[in-house]
């Protein structure tokens, strides 16, 4: 398992050594190769770690909604919505969006 990071580190060092040359006057040759190596050794494992973090947080997420508190600034309705009964927003989700009177129906 430790051989994979050592191999990628070796590729990264060789890419930097060939790019800079002996005196640091290497120019811009090998830039695409360096970014390709960085993409595979840094970006892809970073995306994998972020996916793992999101999945682990989803496993520990509580599905209970907090108690409804009718804050007056959140329940302002100057005129009804032009669709449906006028009280539900266009992308209303009864599981997450509360109406001015509270959440709808029984909670799962």
């Amino acid at each position: 398992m430790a051989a994979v990071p050592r191999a990628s580190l070796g590729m990264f060092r060789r890419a930097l050594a060939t790019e800079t040359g002996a005196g640091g006057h290497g120019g811009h040759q090998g830039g695409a190769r360096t970014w390709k190596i960085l993409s595979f050794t840094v970006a892809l494992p970073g995306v994998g770690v972020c996916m793992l973090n999101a999945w682990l947080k989803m496993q520990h997420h509580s599905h209970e909604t907090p108690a409804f508190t009718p804050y007056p600034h959140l329940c302002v309705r100057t005129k009804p919505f032009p669709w449906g009964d006028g009280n539900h927003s266009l992308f209303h989700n009864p599981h997450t969006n509360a109406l001015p009177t509270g959440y709808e129906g029984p909670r799962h």
Side-chain angles (χ1 to χ4, degrees):
M1 191 82 177
V4 174
R6 282 191 213 135
S8 61
L9 184 61
M11 288 183 351
F12 181 65
R13 286 183 184 157
R14 275 184 263 133
L16 289 178
T18 57
E19 182 178 333
T20 57
H25 305 288
H28 296 289
Q29 299 86 5
R33 184 172 183 263
T34 301
W35 283 107
K36 182 178 180 181
I37 290 171
L38 285 174
S39 296
F40 286 118
T41 59
V42 176
L44 289 179
V47 169
V49 167
C50 290
M51 287 175 56
L52 178 66
N53 184 32
W55 185 75
L56 289 175
K57 289 207 181 263
M58 182 188 69
Q59 297 298 320
H60 298 292
H61 176 69
S62 173
H63 294 286
E64 297 296 322
T65 57
F68 177 72
T69 306
Y71 294 111
H73 66 280
L74 295 178
C75 303
V76 175
R77 300 276 199 272
T78 56
K79 62 180 184 176
F81 291 114
W83 49 81
D85 64 351
N87 200 22
H88 295 81
S89 64
L90 184 60
F91 299 107
H92 181 76
N93 183 350
H95 298 287
T96 57
N97 302 118
L99 296 174
T101 57
Y103 291 104
E104 298 177 60
R107 307 292 293 159
H108 302 84

